[in-house]
Amino acid sequence: MADTPKLGSGTRFRKLVAQLAAKGTSDPKALAASIGRKKYGAQQFGRLAAKAAKSRKSE
């Protein structure tokens, strides 16, 4: 897993959104968020999303 970006960077989420969009999903961001909440739980996913938003804001 050394190749994968760190959790909370938002890179994994954007990659998943791109994959879902390529498959023709009508709302890939919503589906990716749903998958993330199921995998990490609502509270942890919220923390990761906040961390990603904070890091993107500082760029």
Side-chain angles (χ1 to χ4, degrees), residues 2 4 6 8 12 20 24 26-27 29 37 39 42 49 53 56:
T4 58
K6 291 180 80 174
R12 292 179 181 192
L20 294 172
S26 60
D27 194 353
K29 286 185 179 180
R37 283 188 197 96
K39 182 173 182 177
R56 287 197 65 154

Side-chain angles (χ1 to χ4, degrees), residues 10-32:
T11 306
R12 292 179 181 192
F13 183 81
R14 288 190 297 275
K15 184 177 178 183
L16 179 59
V17 168
Q19 289 174 347
L20 294 172
K23 289 185 179 184
T25 305
S26 60
D27 194 353
K29 286 185 179 180
L31 182 56

